[in-house]
């Protein structure tokens, strides 16, 4: 019992907030993938930019909460600009070009950040300090906030995609952009706004996690791999699948690290993915024929 | 032989072979040329998959790195014969490539790319965290292998010998690839790239062809990997990082996808560009009054920008500039004419 409350439960909660943050990251990736057919290799850099934009805003205003609003907006604007300038001319070409383009963008963004802020590890201080007793254990308040806020965001996104007209248009565009175009919807604008939204979401995840992890220019490289695994595991283009897969990976990562060293944890995660792909080649909720 | 491979190719190799005779080819420049040609081999092998079969591998670094490691491990354990090292490396990469090819070829398009990426990450994680193989430092301070067993005089190790070694490997790789793509096997690969289902309906065992080309491509990339520790005297996990796989794709794109010469040009261009930019960036910074250390990673920024520009404005790469008139016949043109979605 001691073991459950002192070790297992905190680690499980840890996995839950980790998974929820990962879901925010993976959702943008899967929507962009479904919409544009582009596996966005720069997504990890947008996540990283969120943390750095947060550092700038916190430096100016000394408020984490202002940064939580402004940083995603700034990165979202950058995303919109990137989409219009670089991805839009590629829509008529095969997805390979988008993949390679975003790989180039990720290289560039990473180095811009390294040039401007240097390669050192940075930290953002937790805006909420202290711990609270919870279910017989002591849990840091900020992590609790992180968990609640991420889950709330996921709920809002779910409502957006199921209840609002804009969300339904995005989902329709994922299904069949041509048909949507025929119905008179300005599809390029949908693409741009969705890309901006996905960028802002990645940035938000980056800033939210920044106080818990360290911030450095190549942090995106590690995170995007996990996000890729989540997207494959959940089924390409399936938003619900992504969220479920993110929670599975978050919990697996967190619980496995109780019993294994980091190397074994990483390999176990890869093994899960390979196993799922053999048993269920399309992931949890992958649709038939999506990019096969 | 001349008629088959064209006089241009033999001329190019004659020029490359004569290059070290020029006065400015110091040991440093020769080492740079070694790297450039070596990555040229990697890019050429990758284009067999990307350009000819329409399969994007994001895990080529694993083939390169795995073989570098197997050579390095043998050298470290006292096996000094170059041929034994190469043989062992063939077995290691061959087995790994078969496993990857078996699982990855069940998927198409981006699934294939991501599966190769994930498999490569497993290898990276293994070497990065296994202290027996040096962990993040890798295996350092290797001695050069013997070319001929028991004859110490013929040890490899001077920049000139290394350069010729990699040049000969490049020549062999090119001849092999050219023969391959012009054979019936190569035609089937192009058929698969154009329309996989149609190739299957025509009775071809598509998955068998795909696995075969994966294996060939992996082993060729491995050839380059096996000689890498010879020059650097080390093998580090950085070689296995997925960004290296991405750089190999960049080389293919810069040079010209769907050609054999293009990726080599792309590889040489990429390595030289990286070198020149990282040489001049600190000076540029000094001139502008910044501290010179800040320019260390600037070359990636410039490479990123060049890559974006190439994808946007020069989809056929550098080779496309010279081949505009022949574009209709060149295999690279086919990639362009395939309707969106067909290659997936």
């Amino acid at each position: 019992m001691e073991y459950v409350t002192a070790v297992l439960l905190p680690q499980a909660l840890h996995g839950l907030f980790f998974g929820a943050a990962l879901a925010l990251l993976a959702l943008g990736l899967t929507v962009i993938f479904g919409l544009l057919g582009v596996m966005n290799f720069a997504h990890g850099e947008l996540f990283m930019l969120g943390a750095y934009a947060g550092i700038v805003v916190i430096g100016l205003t000394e408020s984490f909460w202002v940064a939580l609003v402004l940083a995603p907006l700034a990165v979202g604007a950058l995303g919109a600009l990137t989409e219009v300038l670089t991805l839009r001319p590629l829509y008529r070409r095969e997805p390979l070009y988008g993949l390679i383009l975003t790989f180039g963008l990720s290289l560039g963004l990473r180095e811009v950040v390294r040039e401007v802020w240097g390669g050192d590890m940075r930290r953002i201080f937790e805006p909420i300090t202290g711990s609270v007793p919870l279910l017989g254990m002591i849990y840091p308040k900020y992590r609790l906030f992180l968990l609640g806020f991420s889950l709330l965001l996921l709920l809002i996104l779910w409502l957006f995609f199921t209840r609002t007209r804009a969300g339904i248009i995005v989902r329709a565009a994922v299904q069949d952009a041509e048909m949507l175009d025929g119905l008179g919807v300005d599809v390029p604008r949908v693409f741009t706004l969705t890309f901006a939204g996905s960028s802002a979401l990645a940035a938000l995840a980056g800033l939210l996690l920044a106080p818990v992890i360290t911030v450095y220019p190549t942090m995106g490289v590690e995170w995007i791999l996990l996000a890729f695994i989540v997207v494959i595991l959940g089924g390409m283009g399936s938003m619900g699948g992504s969220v479920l897969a993110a929670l599975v990976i978050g919990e697996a990562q967190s619980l496995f690290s109780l019993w294994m060293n980091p190397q074994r944890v990483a390999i176990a995660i890869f093994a899960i993915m390979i196993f799922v792909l053999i048993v269920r080649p399309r992931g949890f909720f992958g649709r038939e024929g999506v990019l096969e | 032989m001349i008629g088959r491979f064209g006089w241009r190719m033999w001329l190019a190799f004659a020029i490359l072979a004569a290059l070290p005779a020029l006065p400015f080819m110091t040991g440093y420049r020769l080492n740079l040329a070694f790297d450039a040609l070596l990555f040229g081999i990697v890019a050429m092998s990758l284009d067999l998959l990307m350009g000819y079969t329409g399969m994007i591998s994001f895990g080529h670094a694993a083939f390169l790195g795995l073989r570098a490691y197997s050579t390095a491990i043998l050298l470290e354990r006292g096996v000094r014969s170059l041929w034994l090292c190469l043989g062992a490396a063939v077995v290691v990469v061959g087995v790994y490539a078969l496993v990857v090819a078996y699982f990855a070829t069940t998927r198409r398009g981006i699934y294939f790319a991501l599966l190769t990426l994930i498999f490569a990450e497993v290898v990276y994680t293994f070497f990065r965290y296994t202290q027996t193989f040096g962990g993040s430092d890798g295996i350092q301070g290797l001695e050069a292998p013997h070319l001929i067993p028991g004859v110490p005089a013929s040890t490899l190790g001077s920049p000139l010998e290394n350069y010729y070694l990699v040049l000969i490997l490049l020549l062999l790789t090119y001849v092999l690839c050219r023969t391959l793509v012009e054979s019936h096997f190569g035609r089937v690969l192009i058929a698969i790239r154009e329309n996989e289902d149609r190739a299957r309906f025509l009775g071809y065992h598509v998955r068998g062809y795909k696995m075969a080309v994966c294996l060939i491509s992996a082993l060729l990339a491995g050839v380059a990997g096996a000689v890498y520790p010879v020059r650097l005297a080390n093998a580090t996990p950085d070689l296995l990082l997925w960004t290296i796989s991405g750089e190999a794709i960049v080389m293919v794109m810069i040079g010209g996808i769907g050609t054999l010469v293009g990726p080599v040009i792309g590889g040489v261009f990429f390595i030289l560009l990286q070198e020149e930019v990282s040489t001049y960036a600190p000076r540029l910074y000094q001139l502008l009054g910044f501290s010179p250390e800040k320019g260390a990673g600037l070359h990636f920024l410039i490479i990123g920008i060049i890559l974006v520009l190439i994808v946007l404005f020069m989809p056929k790469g550098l080779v496309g500039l010279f081949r505009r008139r022949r574009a209709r016949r060149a295999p690279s043109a086919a990639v362009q004419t395939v309707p969106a979605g067909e290659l997936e």
Side-chain angles (χ1 to χ4, degrees):
Chain A
M1 194 58 208
E2 190 85 330
Y3 183 75
V4 170
T5 52
V7 182
L8 216 53
L9 203 60
Q11 206 65 18
L13 265 182
H14 188 79
L16 200 60
F17 90 69
F18 182 71
L22 199 55
L24 290 180
L25 192 64
L27 260 180
L29 203 59
T30 201
V31 170
I32 291 303
F33 178 78
L35 209 58
L36 312 181
V38 169
M39 206 69 210
N40 182 12
F41 263 93
H43 205 67
E45 274 58 48
L46 296 168
F47 170 82
M48 174 268 290
L49 275 178
Y52 275 99
I55 289 177
V56 172
V57 178
I58 292 171
L60 292 174
T61 65
E62 297 194 349
S63 163
F64 182 84
W65 310 108
V66 177
L68 208 53
V69 177
L70 288 185
L73 283 179
V75 177
L78 180 77
L81 194 70
T82 310
E83 197 274 345
V84 171
L85 289 180
T86 63
L87 278 168
R88 184 170 285 186
L90 296 181
Y91 287 152
R92 298 204 142 268
R93 295 210 220 137
E94 53 162 308
L96 168 63
Y97 287 99
L99 184 98
I100 291 162
L101 182 108
T102 54
F103 181 78
L105 285 177
S106 76
L107 272 181
L109 284 175
R110 218 177 297 148
E111 294 314 319
V112 168
V113 168
R114 207 200 297 274
E115 291 304 316
V116 176
W117 286 284
D120 304 333
M121 300 228 176
R122 281 158 179 267
R123 283 219 66 165
I124 292 181
F125 292 105
E126 297 185 2
I128 311 171
T129 49
S131 306
V132 281
L134 178 80
L135 302 169
M137 56 169 184
I138 304 290
Y139 204 72
K141 274 186 196 164
Y142 181 71
R143 294 195 176 193
L144 217 52
F145 160 76
L146 196 58
L147 176 61
F149 191 65
S150 310
L151 292 179
L152 182 71
L153 275 174
L154 287 177
L155 182 70
I156 291 172
L157 282 169
W158 181 71
L159 288 174
F160 171 77
F161 281 122
T162 52
R163 296 284 187 276
T164 66
R165 189 178 146 75
I168 288 165
I169 285 178
V170 172
R171 274 169 60 215
V174 170
Q175 294 281 341
D176 193 341
E178 239 170 73
M179 180 61 90
L180 203 64
D181 186 52
L183 290 172
V185 174
D186 185 356
V187 173
R189 213 178 107 218
V190 174
F191 284 2
T192 307
L193 288 177
T194 311
F195 201 85
S198 138
S199 307
L201 211 55
L204 191 62
L207 184 54
L208 276 173
L209 277 173
V212 189
I213 57 178
T214 39
V215 179
Y216 52 98
T218 51
M219 65 193 277
V221 178
E222 283 169 32
W223 279 81
I224 196 168
L225 266 171
L226 276 180
F228 278 163
I229 291 179
V230 163
V231 172
I232 301 177
L233 208 58
M236 293 270 188
S238 160
M239 297 177 214
S242 286
V243 174
L244 179 64
L247 294 175
V248 168
I249 292 293
E251 284 299 338
Q253 173 119 357
S254 187
L255 291 179
F256 285 175
S257 61
L258 281 177
W259 308 296
M260 300 178 201
N261 60 28
Q263 172 208 353
R264 298 249 169 80
V265 172
I267 291 178
I269 303 273
F270 296 135
I272 291 179
M273 200 215 79
I274 291 166
F275 176 76
V276 170
L277 281 181
I278 293 166
V279 181
R280 281 191 69 88
R282 291 188 187 94
F284 293 156
F285 302 126
R287 275 175 289 136
E288 193 175 343
V290 175
L291 280 196
E292 285 181 33
Chain B
M1 279 297 258
I2 287 185
R4 175 131 191 226
F5 295 109
W7 60 271
R8 280 200 199 87
M9 182 211 104
W10 294 108
L11 183 69
F13 276 101
I15 292 171
L16 284 175
L19 204 58
L22 294 172
F24 67 85
M25 289 304 279
T26 56
Y28 165 73
R29 294 257 158 202
L30 277 173
N31 281 339
L32 197 61
F34 174 96
D35 286 359
L37 295 186
L38 188 125
F39 277 101
I41 299 177
V42 176
M44 197 197 289
S45 72
L46 177 62
D47 203 28
L48 275 185
L49 280 183
M50 265 177 72
Y52 286 91
T53 329
M55 301 154 83
I56 310 146
S57 159
F58 241 101
H60 250 54
F63 305 130
L64 180 75
L66 205 56
R67 245 181 124 159
Y69 261 100
S70 59
T71 302
I73 289 167
L74 282 182
L75 285 175
E76 198 192 29
R77 302 279 184 279
V79 178
R80 300 291 302 279
S81 162
L82 180 68
W83 307 108
L84 264 180
C85 290
L86 285 175
V90 168
V91 175
V92 172
V93 175
V95 169
Y96 169 75
L98 267 181
V99 173
V100 176
Y102 180 79
F103 288 113
T105 51
T106 56
R107 317 272 89 208
R108 291 191 208 173
I110 285 172
Y111 279 106
F112 175 83
L114 290 178
L115 272 173
T116 54
L117 173 64
I118 303 288
F119 272 105
E121 270 312 289
V122 175
V123 178
Y124 169 75
T125 313
F126 177 77
F127 282 107
R128 169 72 180 69
Y129 291 103
T130 305
Q131 291 310 317
T132 324
F133 302 127
S136 58
D137 293 329
I139 299 172
Q140 304 286 340
L142 296 167
E143 287 178 54
H146 297 272
L147 190 58
I148 302 166
V151 186
S154 67
T155 48
L156 286 160
S158 85
L160 190 66
E161 281 169 326
N162 289 341
Y163 175 79
Y164 280 121
L165 175 69
V166 79
L167 183 64
I168 291 168
L169 286 178
L170 178 71
L171 177 70
L172 291 177
T173 310
Y174 178 79
V175 169
L176 191 89
C177 288
R178 169 66 53 208
T179 313
L180 204 67
V181 298
E182 284 177 0
S183 66
H184 180 73
F185 181 82
R187 300 285 142 195
V188 178
L189 294 185
I190 293 171
I192 291 172
R193 177 190 75 193
E194 295 299 312
N195 192 329
E196 190 172 328
D197 293 326
R198 202 174 294 161
R200 190 174 296 116
F201 295 147
L202 283 172
Y204 290 109
H205 190 308
V206 168
R207 183 143 173 242
Y209 277 92
K210 281 179 153 186
M211 280 180 67
V213 74
C214 281
L215 193 61
I216 293 167
S217 175
L219 288 175
L220 289 178
V223 167
V227 296
Y228 209 49
V230 173
R231 171 168 107 56
L232 286 176
N234 67 19
T236 60
D238 291 351
L239 260 184
L240 292 158
L241 202 58
W242 65 274
T243 47
I244 298 275
S245 307
E247 282 171 19
I249 293 180
V250 171
M251 291 171 190
V252 173
M253 293 298 291
I254 291 179
I257 185 170
T259 65
L260 287 180
V261 180
V264 179
I265 295 173
V268 171
F269 181 82
F270 187 90
I271 296 289
L272 293 184
L273 182 81
Q274 198 170 350
E275 179 62 27
E276 293 306 312
V277 172
S278 53
T279 305
Y280 289 108
R283 288 188 207 166
L284 186 71
Y285 267 69
Q286 226 161 7
L287 281 178
L288 295 172
F290 295 110
S291 107
E293 291 89 48
K294 282 197 87 183
L298 197 68
H299 57 284
F300 282 119
L301 171 62
I302 294 174
I303 286 160
I305 293 170
I306 289 177
L307 180 63
V308 169
L309 293 178
I310 283 180
V311 171
L312 285 177
F313 301 111
M314 249 171 55
K316 284 175 208 154
L318 290 171
V319 171
L321 291 179
F322 304 106
R323 286 218 178 149
R324 198 146 281 176
R325 270 183 305 144
R326 286 169 54 191
R328 208 171 270 266
R329 283 199 295 133
S332 59
V335 177
Q336 277 293 290
T337 53
V338 175
E342 194 118 309
L343 262 180
E344 286 147 15

